[in-house]
Amino acid sequence: MGGLRARQWLARVWGGNAGTMTMTTTAAPAPIVTGSPLLGSMSDLLNDPLAAYLRARRDHGDVVRFRAGPPGLRSDIYAVFSAEGAQQVLATQAANFRKDNVFYEELRQSVGNGLLTSQDDAYLRQRRLVQPLFTRRRVNGYASQVADEAASLAAVWREAPGGTVELVGEMHRFALRVVGRILFGTDVKEAFEVIERTLPPLQEYSLKRGFSPLKAPRTWPTPANRRAGRLQAELHALCDGIIDSRRDRDDRDDLVTLLVHAENAEDGSLDADELREQVLIFLLAGHETTATALAFGLHLLARHPQEQRRVRDEVDRCSVARRMGTRSRGH
Ligand code: HEM
């Protein structure tokens, strides 16, 4: 599934040469996945990351170290496969891990220093400003918008020729529409076309740069850099336009409006660059992950009819689905 490739952005990928991973509680060094003599695991991770991860886990266990790139220019990339490991890295021992490696740097260059990429004081400031927008009530309020989009998609799928759909692409667009709608409210139609055209290639460009041991600086006018610059400018212009349109009004309920008006005594408010960076991070972090999880989830459900029945029963009991008059049986 191609969606997994860009999903790597959101797994923390630690690079040994461009930053450090500090892991104070490691009992033994992680086993190394060596890969080919020339490029280590670079091609495997770029071309088929899912297969590379599954193989590494099968052969070496829950924590492994990939070495990617030619000798002398190799990055070390740690992968953690267990739920307990993820809990340690993202929660209980999160303070031991930093976002200093080449992958985070590329991501920062592409979408800025928002919540996902920032650290230390900048992170804490953003977090204090943004956190009040994610109350339980508000997040619950997004459910009907998600269900609404899901119902529209199901209606289209029912008419799909041969009853077959290309799931990864469909889930990608679905997740982007959902996060776009929650962020931008009613402006999503205009925004969607630009986001769908610009964000995925920008992500791909940054990921490739993250893996490349030798790369031209972003400021050099190579065809790839110029294209990425154009895509980035277009995405920025879209976000800036929507943000500006919310400045004089607070009567809307989308996330951009809430971000524009977020402030507290200690931190003030987010400036224009910070606002755009948060919006871009939400777009990025909010669609790839969900799309991949949904695509895998549906793929597995299609192969396990008993689980499918249990999910249908749960949907039938779900209050959002009932409110919308959405019935799952027979779909
Ligand atoms: C299945 C869905 C999702 C998965 C598996 C997922 C996974 C993750 C992971 C692993 C991180 C930690 C990354 C790190 O610290 O390096 C993260 C952080 C983050 N995610 Fe998600 N995510 C999902 C959905 C979403 C959605 C829907 C949004 C927004 C609309 C979102 C926004 C964020 C943000 C803003 C952060 C940074 C939070 C912080 O550090 O305080 N994610 N996500």
Side-chain angles (χ1 to χ4, degrees), residues 126-309:
Q126 294 173 14
R127 177 89 189 226
R128 282 191 298 266
L129 282 163
V130 171
Q131 201 157 357
L133 312 189
F134 290 89
T135 57
R136 180 183 293 261
R137 189 182 61 80
R138 248 184 217 296
V139 173
N140 283 346
Y142 298 141
S144 61
Q145 301 186 50
V146 178
D148 196 16
E149 290 290 342
S152 308
L153 184 64
V156 174
W157 279 6
R158 266 179 232 117
E159 308 300 323
T164 307
V165 295
E166 195 279 292
L167 197 53
V168 173
E170 287 286 295
M171 287 300 94
H172 222 90
R173 288 184 289 277
F174 171 71
L176 207 46
R177 265 197 310 276
V178 168
V179 72
R181 178 168 166 177
I182 287 168
L183 273 172
F184 298 141
T186 49
D187 292 333
V188 69
K189 280 202 183 63
E190 168 220 346
F192 182 72
E193 188 273 319
V194 179
I195 299 165
E196 198 191 17
R197 189 161 38 76
T198 56
L199 193 59
L202 207 51
Q203 253 173 288
E204 190 71 22
Y205 162 81
S206 310
L207 188 62
K208 277 209 178 113
R209 286 183 58 87
F211 271 111
S212 305
L214 292 173
K215 52 191 165 256
R218 282 188 181 233
T219 46
W220 290 12
T222 62
N225 282 346
R226 288 169 55 185
R227 176 163 181 258
R230 281 196 302 273
L231 296 172
Q232 202 175 24
E234 215 180 328
L235 200 51
H236 284 188
L238 169 82
C239 293
D240 291 350
I242 294 177
I243 289 166
D244 281 345
S245 73
R246 305 299 199 270
R247 287 202 186 279
D248 299 329
R249 45 191 305 184
D250 56 6
D251 57 330
R252 301 174 63 148
D253 210 23
D254 57 68
L255 200 52
V256 172
T257 304
L258 298 175
L259 281 172
V260 167
H261 296 282
E263 63 177 317
N264 67 40
E266 190 181 350
D267 304 303
S269 55
L270 296 164
D271 68 25
D273 288 345
E274 290 176 317
L275 278 169
R276 188 202 310 122
E277 287 170 348
Q278 298 304 340
V279 169
L280 287 175
I281 289 286
F282 280 122
L283 278 176
L284 177 77
H287 91 278
E288 188 75 47
T289 44
T290 325
T292 305
L294 282 170
F296 270 111
L298 291 178
H299 172 71
L300 289 170
L301 281 175
R303 290 165 166 238
H304 295 89
Q306 203 178 336
E307 307 307 324
Q308 204 180 114
R309 270 192 298 279

Side-chain angles (χ1 to χ4, degrees), residues 107-108 111-119 122 126 277-278 281:
L107 189 54
R108 238 172 247 127
V111 293
N113 200 29
L115 270 177
L116 186 68
T117 42
S118 60
Q119 311 193 82
Q126 294 173 14
E277 287 170 348
Q278 298 304 340
I281 289 286

Side-chain angles (χ1 to χ4, degrees), residues 52-116:
Y53 290 139
L54 287 173
R55 234 183 357 256
R57 185 181 193 191
R58 186 196 62 208
D59 295 345
H60 300 289
D62 281 343
V63 182
V64 300
R65 177 153 57 128
F66 291 96
R67 317 213 68 192
L73 290 169
R74 277 196 177 146
S75 293
D76 283 349
I77 298 164
Y78 289 82
V80 176
F81 301 118
S82 72
E84 296 76 25
Q87 168 89 4
Q88 267 181 32
V89 171
L90 295 171
T92 52
Q93 294 176 32
N96 290 341
F97 297 90
R98 297 197 51 81
K99 305 172 186 175
D100 289 337
N101 64 52
V102 65
F103 294 95
Y104 271 105
E105 190 44 45
E106 286 295 336
L107 189 54
R108 238 172 247 127
Q109 297 279 332
S110 284
V111 293
N113 200 29
L115 270 177
L116 186 68

